[in-house]
Amino acid sequence: MRTEIQTFVDIRRQLHRIPEPGYAEFKTQRFLLDRIGELPQHRIEVRTWRTGILVKVKGTDPQFTFGYRADMDGLPIEEDTSYAFRSEHPGYMHACGHDMHMAIGLGVLTHFVEQEMADDLIVIFQPAEEGPGGAKPMLESEELRGWLPEQIVALHIAPEYPAGTIATRPGILFANTSELFIDLIGKGGHAAYPHRANDMVVAAAHLLVQLQSIVSRNVNPLDSAVVTVGKIEGGTKQNIIAEKARLEGTIRTLSADTMQLVKQRIEALVRGTEASFECTAHIDYGSNYRQVYNEEEITREFMEWLGKSGHARLIECSEAMTGEDFGYFLESIPGFMFWLGVDTPYGLHHAKLEPSEQAIPVAIHTVTDYFRWKSGRLRSGGDRA
Ligand SMILES: CC(=O)N[C@@H](CCC[C@H](N)C(=O)O)C(=O)O
């Protein structure tokens, strides 16, 4: 690659400074458009969709279109890393590696602008992966509909694997997800007169504990599910009985049927809370993501190629209960997602996450060489898409 890898490490650091929430990735979009604007323009076409960006790199003799997708949004976390290039947006951090995913995306794009390929490539910078989900509406947009790739690849950083490793599997990689918001509304009052009020802090505490029984007592132990309440809010002051409480969480399942079962049980427990605490409740499932299902034949072929290529050490991993709206891309476009080892003791969504930047060249070389190899293979008639 003629452009130095250090460029993409620097780009990642600059992106790290400006994490933004879903659909508010304005500075991020501007930054990426400026970098894309510095590339020779004769072989690229650029479109924007909300805060996202689509870039087509025209091949010399296109018969096929490859796609690489990078997500763009940050998370509401106060950063606590040792970095000199910490977030400049108080309360926001790239704690899920989207800064790495975007820098790698620019690396892949730059490579194919500098060193042409026969086939076309679409690089997709997608907003709002952490919520409410940019993939589905982007796929339905006019901007992307006319430019749909025929095979698509995405990656996600993996703190638990060493830099220089790539982990994936054919079939299901990430879970089905649903957000969960439960509002409880009772009757507030004076702390000294509990008999004249319906305390929603107590109701929320009971419900929170009952929710734990869904995975332990309703889901088949041989199946997998997660119900996590990550935020709980209620009340206004220590000597006022709370009129309202809110639980915010997420549900994860490996099958769509189990997702339905978990939701039915949540609804039953919430109805029980209404009866027990004489309150009213409202459930909102927010945004739901489809499982990430790697097309089996293409993924096996990639794994075999990677094993021989020497670009990274390959691990065949198990499914994870993480969610990713990339699942919507894989619903209509064959392809796969892989974990990119970044070797850090702190997990995704942690304020101290410091992914190893050594993984950036590993990913750029893997993705670009794989597309080039696959393009040649399709042309030689050695494969289907
Ligand atoms: C890779 C990753 O961490 N993705 C997120 C996706 C969030 C989906 C949605 N907002 C939810 O919380 O259900 C994850 O938390 O797995």
Side-chain angles (χ1 to χ4, degrees):
M1 188 161 193
R2 275 172 246 151
T3 306
E4 288 299 313
I5 280 296
Q6 186 57 38
T7 308
F8 303 103
V9 171
D10 292 341
I11 282 173
R12 181 259 157 168
R13 294 180 181 189
Q14 291 173 67
L15 286 165
H16 189 83
R17 290 181 191 272
I18 53 167
E20 296 167 293
Y23 289 130
E25 301 97 335
F26 302 112
K27 285 192 205 170
T28 307
Q29 186 187 44
R30 186 67 266 150
F31 176 86
L32 292 172
L33 285 171
D34 288 347
R35 298 292 77 71
I36 294 163
E38 288 161 8
L39 295 171
Q41 298 295 297
H42 62 286
R43 292 195 36 247
I44 60 172
E45 249 182 89
V46 183
R47 292 180 180 174
T48 56
W49 173 81
R50 298 190 63 170
T51 46
I53 306 171
L54 304 165
V55 190
K56 181 187 225 172
V57 187
K58 287 173 256 173
T60 51
D61 172 29
Q63 292 173 17
F64 194 78
T65 306
F66 293 97
Y68 171 86
R69 175 277 205 169
D71 38 14
M72 301 168 74
D73 50 330
L75 281 162
I77 293 178
E78 191 65 55
E79 180 163 355
D80 190 19
T81 62
S82 62
Y83 287 156
F85 52 91
R86 267 193 294 278
S87 167
E88 290 166 2
H89 295 170
Y92 268 86
M93 176 185 172
H94 270 301
C96 202
H98 300 188
D99 49 346
M100 298 276 287
H101 305 169
M102 288 185 279
I104 292 162
L106 274 180
V108 170
L109 174 58
T110 305
H111 170 93
F112 285 113
V113 171
E114 289 179 346
Q115 296 172 51
E116 56 197 21
M117 169 167 71
D119 286 312
D120 285 345
L121 168 75
I122 310 283
V123 178
I124 301 165
F125 295 98
Q126 179 221 296
E129 185 275 328
E130 296 292 348
K136 200 161 187 264
M138 198 174 202
L139 276 159
E140 287 159 3
S141 73
E142 261 175 45
E143 289 79 356
L144 181 53
R145 234 185 293 135
W147 270 10
L148 279 186
E150 290 159 281
Q151 186 186 318
I152 193 154
V153 173
L155 59 87
H156 204 292
I157 63 157
E160 64 273 37
Y161 296 122
T165 52
I166 282 178
T168 192
R169 72 190 304 275
I172 187 162
L173 184 71
F174 288 4
N176 297 274
T177 73
S178 170
E179 293 177 346
L180 173 65
F181 302 96
I182 305 172
D183 285 295
L184 300 175
I185 301 135
K187 189 175 167 203
H190 196 292
Y193 298 87
H195 53 298
R196 292 187 190 151
N198 291 327
D199 187 344
M200 289 307 100
V201 162
V202 173
H206 278 262
L207 178 59
L208 179 64
V209 173
Q210 287 179 344
L211 290 174
Q212 310 310 308
S213 71
I214 297 175
V215 174
S216 67
R217 286 296 171 270
N218 302 128
V219 173
N220 182 332
L222 298 177
D223 192 2
S224 297
V226 170
V227 178
T228 291
V229 174
K231 182 173 172 188
I232 182 158
E233 234 173 30
T236 52
K237 194 174 183 298
Q238 112 291 344
N239 63 349
I240 297 175
I241 288 177
E243 182 188 343
K244 290 181 186 164
R246 181 173 165 89
L247 289 82
E248 298 188 1
T250 181
I251 312 165
R252 311 294 165 98
T253 66
L254 288 186
S255 82
D257 286 352
T258 308
M259 177 61 76
Q260 227 184 326
L261 167 78
V262 171
K263 286 185 173 177
Q264 278 164 5
R265 289 302 305 146
I266 289 173
E267 285 152 29
L269 292 173
V270 168
R271 281 197 304 274
T273 306
E274 284 183 310
S276 323
F277 292 89
E278 295 176 309
C279 62
T280 55
H282 177 70
I283 304 174
D284 176 2
Y285 290 117
S287 68
N288 292 224
Y289 293 172
R290 192 190 146 73
Q291 64 189 16
V292 171
Y293 194 94
N294 285 341
E295 204 280 339
E296 298 183 18
E297 204 178 313
I298 292 176
T299 310
R300 267 196 210 98
E301 180 194 63
F302 166 72
M303 291 169 76
E304 214 172 288
W305 170 83
L306 182 65
K308 290 182 194 150
S309 77
H311 283 304
R313 188 167 74 83
L314 172 69
I315 295 172
E316 179 153 5
C317 59
S318 311
E319 311 88 326
M321 300 308 275
T322 24
E324 246 284 0
D325 63 352
F326 185 62
Y328 289 115
F329 280 95
L330 292 180
E331 189 181 12
S332 48
I333 305 168
F336 57 88
M337 174 168 245
F338 63 82
W339 287 113
L340 176 71
V342 292
D343 194 15
T344 153
Y346 297 101
L348 299 173
H349 297 195
H350 196 285
K352 289 184 188 286
L353 179 85
E354 293 187 12
S356 165
E357 290 168 334
Q358 285 172 26
I360 292 176
V362 173
I364 296 174
H365 291 141
T366 299
V367 173
T368 53
D369 280 8
Y370 168 68
F371 283 157
R372 217 173 264 291
W373 172 82
K374 181 78 195 224
S375 169
R377 184 167 162 80
L378 289 167
R379 262 152 214 281
S380 69
D383 202 358
R384 63 166 193 84

